[in-house]
Amino acid sequence: GVEVGERHQDHEQDRQDGEHQHAQRGQRQQRLVELAVCQGHQVVLAEKAAEIGGQFRLAAVPPCKQDIATALKSYYNHCKKHGVDIRLNTEVTEDFLKELDPDTVILATGGTPLHINLPGIDGENVIDAIDVLDGTKVPGSRVLVIGGGDGGTVRELLRYACVKQIDLVEIDEEVVKVCRKYLPQTAAGLSDARVHAHYEDGLKFVRHYEDVYDLIIVDSTDPFGPGEGLFTREFYGNCNKALHADGIMVNQHESPFYPKDAIAMQRAHQRIRQSFPISRVYQMHIPTYPSGHWLFGFASKKYHPVRDADFAAWEQKGIATRYYNVNLHRGAFALPNYVEKLLEEVE
């Protein structure tokens, strides 16, 4: 019998490169199997992945390449028709070969991506095309939402095609379950494939990430109880670390109207200013919140929320909104005198 498969190659170069040379890939594999079958051999085809075809399979992913997928399906059916023993999700190890005891082993070894030696080529923002086609990495904006288990923030983010992945960190899974059941119009986006839910403390979650996110939205409760940690200097510092160099953090900033809320607002503003070079506050009218006058924070390592805003690009998206418009965006950062004074006291 002939075994055409993927064998574990423990070469020093593999260890140095951090790459595993995968065998039995693409068209070479197909041609070898066909030749072996035609010559009357009993063939076992082992593939480490869940599908045959190797990198040839990835070539079928882009638009207008469906013919390649059809060819791979035809090849698979052809192998089955002629009695080829196809074993998917199977790595050819030494033990596997001893058990199978083939007369001949053919390794159709695949290639590895060529990385040009350029400064920054190994950065977090560099993605191989092969990883995109394979679905292991997602190009485009990656957003972290802390809190927001009702799904409202996620729903609005999903309206932007540039958002490719949303990590939702909600400390209480029961919040999500209840909102799915009783607030389906708000929670509908939680089932989107781009949304990845993590049920844990946002303070602990963000500690483990560096230079990963384009945007962090802190949709938290008030600064006491479970939400207290999301108003600490440690938390804001870790958010800074988790963002890319041009990343932005937006957080709920409490109300300036009532004295106790105003103190919490000042404390949050002071800590954010200690963590980000650019920190601004804007306001919204929210009737269901205490006093109806609520503040939000904008923090960034690079961008000013008004001077650097590309309003023309946003309007070109054609997104219909009930509240937001570009004039409101500009005006939201113009604060009442009493709010300006409260902020100045801690700056």
Side-chain angles (χ1 to χ4, degrees):
V2 176
E3 200 277 330
V4 180
E6 176 180 47
R7 184 174 182 178
H8 181 76
Q9 302 287 325
D10 189 20
H11 295 314
E12 181 65 25
Q13 184 176 355
D14 288 338
R15 289 196 295 267
Q16 292 174 351
D17 294 345
E19 300 285 352
H20 182 69
Q21 293 290 341
H22 295 305
Q24 165 270 9
R25 294 298 190 195
Q27 293 173 301
R28 286 177 294 173
Q29 171 211 65
Q30 298 174 26
R31 185 57 180 158
L32 288 168
V33 170
E34 290 171 359
L35 289 172
V37 169
C38 289
Q39 294 177 13
H41 295 286
Q42 179 183 352
V43 179
V44 175
L45 192 159
E47 166 61 62
K48 185 177 181 180
E51 300 176 69
I52 62 173
Q55 295 180 11
F56 194 51
R57 170 179 55 84
L58 301 180
V61 175
C64 305
K65 298 291 185 178
Q66 291 82 4
D67 287 348
I68 297 176
T70 302
L72 285 173
K73 185 176 181 180
S74 176
Y75 164 62
Y76 178 84
N77 293 335
H78 178 78
C79 289
K80 297 294 289 185
K81 179 180 178 181
H82 289 85
V84 176
D85 182 2
I86 300 177
R87 304 188 186 185
L88 303 176
N89 300 304
T90 301
E91 182 178 359
V92 179
T93 62
E94 185 175 351
D95 290 339
F96 178 87
L97 288 175
K98 287 180 178 179
E99 181 180 351
L100 191 64
D101 192 25
D103 299 305
T104 304
V105 176
I106 301 175
L107 301 177
T109 305
T112 57
L114 174 64
H115 289 153
I116 302 173
N117 187 18
L118 293 174
I121 195 68
D122 57 348
E124 282 279 345
N125 59 332
V126 179
I127 300 176
D128 285 327
I130 193 170
D131 292 328
V132 176
L133 295 174
D134 205 18
T136 56
K137 292 189 178 180
V138 181
S141 298
R142 184 173 179 182
V143 181
L144 171 62
V145 177
I146 297 179
D150 60 3
T153 298
V154 166
R155 180 192 64 191
E156 295 304 304
L157 285 168
L158 290 171
R159 302 177 72 187
Y160 295 83
C162 61
V163 174
K164 300 300 181 183
Q165 180 173 328
I166 301 172
D167 289 328
L168 173 68
V169 180
E170 169 58 58
I171 197 170
D172 188 354
E173 185 176 3
E174 197 64 26
V175 171
V176 175
K177 292 179 180 179
V178 170
C179 290
R180 284 180 184 273
K181 183 176 181 179
Y182 295 105
L183 298 173
Q185 72 279 11
T186 304
L190 295 174
S191 300
D192 192 283
R194 289 173 285 175
V195 180
H196 304 267
H198 309 267
Y199 300 110
E200 56 183 288
D201 187 347
L203 174 64
K204 296 178 180 178
F205 179 90
V206 77
R207 288 173 180 165
H208 305 292
Y209 293 88
E210 183 173 353
D211 193 19
V212 171
Y213 294 102
D214 300 282
L215 172 65
I216 296 177
I217 298 178
V218 186
D219 189 2
S220 64
T221 56
D222 294 325
F224 56 83
E228 187 173 1
L230 304 182
F231 289 80
T232 61
R233 184 175 178 181
E234 179 205 348
F235 173 71
Y236 296 133
N238 284 327
C239 285
N240 181 304
K241 178 171 64 72
L243 287 166
H244 292 314
D246 58 351
I248 293 170
M249 182 188 78
V250 174
N251 67 294
Q252 82 92 347
H253 221 65
E254 294 296 301
S255 172
F257 193 78
Y258 297 114
K260 289 185 177 180
D261 292 338
I263 292 173
M265 178 273 294
Q266 287 179 305
R267 188 182 300 116
H269 182 64
Q270 185 179 48
R271 291 168 177 172
I272 293 173
R273 281 180 58 85
Q274 292 170 345
S275 302
F276 286 86
I278 300 172
S279 175
R280 296 294 184 273
V281 175
Y282 64 99
Q283 62 186 352
M284 287 182 63
H285 174 61
I286 306 179
T288 56
Y289 279 23
S291 82
H293 186 199
W294 213 261
L295 302 181
F296 295 85
F298 175 101
S300 176
K301 305 178 186 181
K302 180 177 180 180
Y303 296 120
H304 186 279
V306 178
R307 291 196 296 266
D308 295 322
D310 191 343
F311 295 118
W314 186 86
E315 290 188 322
Q316 287 177 0
K317 296 180 185 297
I319 298 176
T321 58
R322 294 182 62 190
Y323 185 87
Y324 178 87
N325 58 62
V326 297
N327 289 328
L328 188 67
H329 180 120
R330 296 186 183 97
F333 290 90
L335 303 173
N337 289 339
Y338 85 96
V339 178
E340 291 280 12
K341 184 178 180 180
L342 288 170
L343 296 174
E344 289 172 0
E345 289 176 359
V346 296
E347 291 181 352

